[in-house]
Amino acid sequence: MHGGLLNRAARRGIDVEIRSVAGDAIDLDDQSVDAVISSLLLCTVADPGRVVAEIRRMLRPGGKYAFLEHVVAPEGSLLRRIQHGVRRPWTWVFEGCSCERDLAAVIHAAGFASVEIDQYRIRSPFLPANAQIAGTAIA
Ligand SMILES: C[S@@+](CC[C@H](N)C(=O)[O-])C[C@H]1O[C@@H](n2cnc3c(N)ncnc32)[C@H](O)[C@@H]1O
């Protein structure tokens, strides 16, 4: 996706620097960034708690983390059963992605000053990823 990102940014006159580091250990100083955005990331990383801790570490006090992620469906729901049933092939097909993570809990546990999360369900053919959250956390 890097080529597409660079092309689109160039067309809009936006200066972009891509740093190819894993989210588990980002080479930026503590409290050195104003904002972090993640979309559909924490489903795929090996340790989402560690990545969110990195985000929290980098943000300046008052800095904002904005996120959109697909998550585990409510306990007892049909969608939850489907997620559990397909979890292994889902991981193989989608490069290590888990459709069973309670990422709202991970973000709440990360020590942000405040967290606001909307939980909702989209309608897509990728049923196991239809339970989603979006929100912001303030460092
Ligand atoms: C489902 S894709 C989402 C791509 C894009 N963010 C989007 O919203 O379309 C998951 C992404 O997580 C990246 N990824 C996997 N492990 C990672 C890690 N440890 N640190 C940072 N990114 C990682 C993968 O390279 C992949 O691009």
Side-chain angles (χ1 to χ4, degrees):
M1 292 183 172
H2 289 179
L5 173 62
L6 290 171
N7 287 338
R8 284 167 189 236
R11 283 204 300 273
R12 288 164 179 78
I14 298 169
D15 191 21
V16 170
E17 177 191 341
I18 294 178
R19 305 167 76 97
S20 295
V21 297
D24 315 65
I26 300 171
D27 58 349
L28 293 172
D29 291 339
D30 294 358
Q31 302 187 359
S32 64
V33 308
D34 297 318
V36 175
I37 298 172
S38 76
S39 84
L40 306 175
L41 168 71
L42 300 176
C43 54
T44 305
V45 300
D47 183 347
R50 180 169 176 157
V51 172
V52 177
E54 274 294 272
I55 292 168
R56 173 76 185 81
R57 178 187 67 74
M58 293 186 302
L59 281 170
R60 292 195 178 95
K64 183 185 283 190
Y65 171 37
F67 49 86
L68 184 157
E69 300 287 343
H70 70 85
V71 295
V72 68
E75 198 62 46
S77 65
L78 174 62
L79 181 53
R80 177 74 191 91
R81 290 200 292 279
I82 292 170
Q83 288 176 328
H84 191 64
V86 304
R87 65 193 186 284
R88 288 203 177 85
W90 183 268
T91 296
W92 301 330
V93 171
F94 293 104
E95 301 180 325
C97 174
S98 167
C99 57
E100 293 192 296
R101 289 187 173 168
D102 184 353
L103 296 172
V106 170
I107 293 166
H108 274 297
F112 289 99
S114 67
V115 177
E116 287 185 14
I117 298 182
D118 286 333
Q119 303 200 23
Y120 56 93
R121 194 162 155 180
I122 62 166
R123 295 163 75 89
S124 86
F126 299 100
L127 203 57
N130 282 1
Q132 299 198 350
I133 59 171
T136 53
I138 305 297

